[in-house]
Amino acid sequence: MFKAYAAFEPGGELKPFEYDPGPLGTHDVEIDVEHCGICHSDLNMLNNDWAFSQFPLVPGHEVVGTLSAVGKEVTGLQLGQRVGLGWHSRYCMTCSSCLEGDHNLCATAEGVIVGRHGGFADKVRANAASVVPLPEGVDERSAGPLFCGGITVFNPMVQFDLKPTDRVGVIGVGGLGHMAIKFLNAWGCEVTAFTSSEAKRAEALELGAHRTVDSRDAAAIEAVAGTYDLILSTVYVKLDWNGYIAALRPKGRLHYVGATLEPLDLGVFPMIMGQRSVSASPVGSPATIAKMLAFAARHAIKPVTEHFPFDRANEALDRLRSGQARYRIVLSR
Ligand SMILES: NC(=O)c1ccc[n+]([C@@H]2O[C@H](COP(=O)([O-])OP(=O)(O)OC[C@H]3O[C@@H](n4cnc5c(N)ncnc54)[C@H](OP(=O)(O)O)[C@@H]3O)[C@@H](O)[C@H]2O)c1
Ligand SMILES: [Zn+2]
Ligand SMILES: [Zn+2]
């Protein structure tokens, strides 16, 4: 039996929960969970905000641990190896997206916490293809958040061939946002942090931002009109998106990774005139995760983490809800 923490209804507290994972699939692996980051998406899933949660729900999709079992047909992974597991648990491996290396766009990819049980547990299983070994030089204690939050902000940098000469804005200095600032600074970009928190303005500069702007101050956003090649939104709230479109340079892009639920209300004319675009993306493929880990190791980039033991997961979730987390909370054994 796997020992986990599960919510039994939307908005419910986590309680101890045991389940029988059944026989190990021939292409699957089993991870002894050492650390598991807490993403804002775990809160959304616990609340059933996206209407596809299944209960009991064991959250946790930023797992780092060691392999305690390896399916018969698995190649390239060894027992005892330290690995990470993010949002996806399984890809179809046969659709054109999978065959093109865009596994994260696979229409039938399965989520670690969608209809299966995640990393708030002593063990978790997944298909071997969705597990990525932790390379030398990546600190295992803080690495969990790279596997969802980190790859989600790193992936657009790869997808859009971001240049070191580009000016980039990051909206929201939370779990995703603080990792974006670190990655973009190391990439060579000029980085502006847009934050709603007065306290985080000084903190963002320490993380590697070159300047900060109040994310909710229309006049301050207007003052940076025409500046950015890319603006990455990591917030889940509605902001003045037309103000952010105006902050883009011609050919600039406003890219959403934050799952804002309210529809966008964008004026098309400013996009037409400046050939500006709006886009969004989910996490990243296993190959891009490996690329991110190598980049993080080379530039000594670590998420800034706070640690709670697994049996205080409810307290940890409350801290994330309250907006106090600096900047990613990780459950650690
Ligand atoms: N696309 C994907 O594949 C993917 C993957 C992972 C997560 N996500 C989504 O990304 C979003 C961020 O996740 P996270 O884990 O980084 O969350 P988080 O740590 O809570 O950070 C979100 C940030 O949003 C800002 N914010 C919150 N309320 C605000 C308000 N009322 N006005 C302005 N800004 C506000 C805050 O930044 P400041 O304090 O700096 O203002 C906060 O730190 C979530 O929607 C999550 O579901 C998407
Ligand atoms: Zn996540
Ligand atoms: Zn596929």
Side-chain angles (χ1 to χ4, degrees):
M1 298 294 272
F2 285 9
K3 293 182 177 52
Y5 291 92
F8 290 80
E9 73 273 317
E13 281 230 315
L14 296 183
K15 294 181 183 142
F17 168 66
E18 292 195 0
Y19 70 95
D20 178 356
L24 184 70
T26 52
H27 290 92
D28 294 350
V29 296
E30 184 172 294
I31 304 169
D32 271 352
V33 180
E34 296 173 302
H35 306 280
C36 187
I38 311 181
C39 177
H40 200 276
S41 307
D42 289 309
L43 295 180
N44 295 108
M45 287 296 290
L46 286 167
N47 288 337
N48 196 23
D49 288 334
W50 301 330
F52 54 75
S53 300
Q54 290 172 39
F55 294 86
L57 188 145
V58 178
H61 59 275
E62 290 187 340
V63 174
V64 164
T66 54
L67 292 179
S68 52
V70 174
K72 274 206 243 34
E73 305 287 337
V74 172
T75 52
L77 292 171
Q78 285 87 42
L79 268 183
Q81 191 171 14
R82 188 167 274 123
V83 298
L85 173 69
W87 178 256
H88 286 127
S89 176
R90 189 176 301 272
Y91 310 100
C92 84
M93 304 302 270
T94 58
C95 73
S96 60
S97 292
C98 284
L99 293 174
E100 286 165 13
D102 295 323
H103 300 75
N104 55 317
L105 307 182
C106 173
T108 58
E110 295 174 26
V112 167
I113 63 169
V114 185
R116 64 178 72 246
H117 297 312
F120 285 23
D122 60 347
K123 289 171 189 285
V124 66
R125 285 186 185 168
N127 189 254
S130 52
V131 160
V132 181
L134 225 60
E136 192 76 23
V138 172
D139 164 49
E140 74 264 12
R141 200 171 141 79
S142 59
L146 294 171
F147 284 84
C148 178
I151 186 57
T152 299
V153 296
F154 184 83
N155 183 52
M157 298 165 58
V158 175
Q159 296 302 322
F160 304 131
D161 286 326
L162 194 67
K163 297 184 193 67
T165 47
D166 283 350
R167 289 176 170 171
V168 183
V170 176
I171 314 174
V173 185
L176 268 61
H178 94 282
M179 289 187 264
I181 292 169
K182 288 189 165 216
F183 281 139
L184 290 163
N185 178 293
W187 202 271
C189 298
E190 187 195 278
V191 188
T192 299
F194 291 86
T195 176
S196 65
S197 153
E198 192 52 44
K200 285 186 188 171
R201 293 186 71 156
E203 299 168 24
L205 298 176
E206 278 170 37
L207 290 166
H210 301 97
R211 62 172 155 170
T212 65
V213 174
D214 183 332
S215 62
R216 293 190 289 197
D217 180 343
I221 297 167
E222 204 182 324
V224 292
T227 303
Y228 300 101
D229 299 283
L230 172 69
I231 297 178
L232 202 57
S233 172
T234 75
V235 302
Y236 46 81
V237 293
K238 176 176 163 29
L239 293 176
D240 173 17
W241 303 127
N242 288 302
Y244 284 102
I245 293 281
L248 295 172
R249 293 183 62 215
K251 297 192 178 179
R253 177 187 294 274
L254 172 57
H255 189 73
Y256 290 90
V257 289
T260 172
L261 286 171
E262 275 185 75
L264 305 179
D265 56 344
L266 297 174
V268 171
F269 215 63
M271 290 197 268
I272 291 177
M273 298 308 285
Q275 198 184 308
R276 300 182 173 95
S277 50
V278 171
S279 53
S281 61
V283 286
S285 68
T288 312
I289 291 175
K291 195 176 279 192
M292 167 195 67
L293 294 172
F295 184 81
R298 188 156 69 249
H299 294 280
I301 294 170
K302 291 203 298 188
V304 179
T305 53
E306 297 179 353
H307 295 261
F308 282 71
F310 280 76
D311 61 6
R312 283 170 55 202
N314 285 307
E315 209 180 307
L317 290 169
D318 282 343
R319 185 162 166 83
L320 175 57
R321 277 187 201 101
S322 74
Q324 298 299 303
R326 291 290 195 281
Y327 290 89
R328 193 55 129 196
I329 300 173
V330 176
L331 300 180
S332 288
R333 265 204 213 283

